[in-house]
Amino acid sequence: MFETLKRGISKVKEDIRVIYDNDPAAHSLAEVLLCYPGLHAITAYRLAHRLYKWHLHLVARIISYITRIVTGIEIHPAAHIGKRFFIDHGEGVVIGETTIIGDDVLIYQQVTLGGTGKDSGKRHPTIGNHVVIGAGAKVLGDIIIADHVRIGAGSVVITDVPSHSTVVGVPGRIVQRSTVDEEGNLMHNKIPDPIQSEIDELKKEIEKLKS
């Protein structure tokens, strides 16, 4: 029991450190502990997940439900979430039952990691390590988002995405233009529009044909 508590405290410390690393608005420990719903949600999830593994499913779901009411973040206790997971802002985030999330993943508000249809078994996404998912993005179905992927705000992703890719649009498309800074963070204000890019290419082709 003591070792379990010790590991739990260690994970909370790690989650707090991630907030300081990713959010320049975090000014004090008290502010992080009291005012960050993402931290509250992930801490409650870790407790609920352990209870779920002990087959205390109803208790785990009640904890998840109360956490959703308080934070606006819904994480199914059966989901598997790795280390240093950070939910920035968090309102409206939904993480489904069979979701698997790797280490060092950052997601923003209104993100859905959801299923499609009423299929049983694995029906939610698998997210790799060092993935960033922008505000309002929807990642749906039993798909694999590989390591170091960046998903732009508002994108809808329904197919597998290879590593070191940036995805934007509805449905999500892989773009080649660099949209990350030197530290690998997603630059939401510099994400290209793949449809507009195709239109521009078509315009160029038409101009060539006219000349």
Side-chain angles (χ1 to χ4, degrees):
M1 181 64 71
F2 177 76
E3 284 299 320
T4 300
L5 180 61
K6 187 177 179 180
R7 286 196 299 270
I9 294 173
S10 177
K11 286 183 178 180
V12 171
K13 288 181 178 179
E14 196 170 45
D15 292 332
I16 291 171
R17 187 163 60 251
V18 167
I19 292 174
Y20 277 115
D21 291 342
N22 286 277
D23 190 355
H27 299 299
S28 69
L29 177 60
E31 182 182 6
V32 170
L33 290 174
L34 296 173
C35 303
Y36 276 72
L39 176 63
H40 304 156
I42 192 64
T43 301
Y45 154 79
R46 297 198 192 284
L47 172 61
H49 181 67
R50 182 165 293 278
L51 293 172
Y52 200 90
K53 289 171 65 176
W54 291 343
H55 302 288
L56 298 172
H57 294 173
L58 179 58
V59 178
R61 290 301 302 272
I62 290 172
I63 292 172
S64 176
Y65 179 67
I66 293 172
T67 303
R68 186 186 70 175
I69 293 173
V70 174
T71 67
I73 299 169
E74 180 177 350
I75 306 176
H76 196 287
H80 290 266
I81 299 177
K83 300 176 182 178
R84 297 174 295 279
F85 179 57
F86 179 36
I87 304 173
D88 197 0
H89 299 293
E91 179 69 30
V93 167
V94 177
I95 299 175
E97 178 184 11
T98 61
T99 301
I100 299 173
I101 300 175
D103 298 334
D104 301 292
V105 172
L106 166 61
I107 68 175
Y108 290 85
Q109 67 271 18
Q110 303 295 328
V111 165
T112 297
L113 305 179
T116 56
K118 297 182 179 179
D119 295 336
S120 58
K122 184 73 168 69
R123 61 190 186 279
H124 296 93
T126 296
I127 310 296
N129 302 318
H130 303 281
V131 172
V132 178
I133 305 178
K138 314 300 177 187
V139 184
L140 305 174
D142 181 17
I143 61 175
I144 296 175
I145 308 300
D147 298 344
H148 299 279
V149 166
R150 304 292 183 262
I151 298 175
S155 301
V156 177
V157 185
I158 54 176
T159 58
D160 292 350
V161 179
S163 62
H164 298 276
S165 300
T166 298
V167 179
V168 299
V170 181
R173 301 184 184 190
I174 296 173
V175 295
Q176 302 299 322
R177 193 183 309 171
S178 176
T179 58
V180 298
D181 62 19
E182 294 180 356
E183 295 180 357
N185 296 315
L186 185 66
M187 297 185 291
H188 300 276
N189 61 325
K190 296 185 179 180
I191 292 175
D193 181 346
I195 296 176
Q196 187 61 50
S197 296
E198 290 185 7
I199 292 173
D200 291 341
E201 289 298 322
L202 286 173
K203 286 180 178 179
K204 290 179 182 178
E205 290 295 326
I206 292 171
E207 291 300 323
K208 286 181 181 179
L209 290 172
K210 286 181 177 180
S211 60

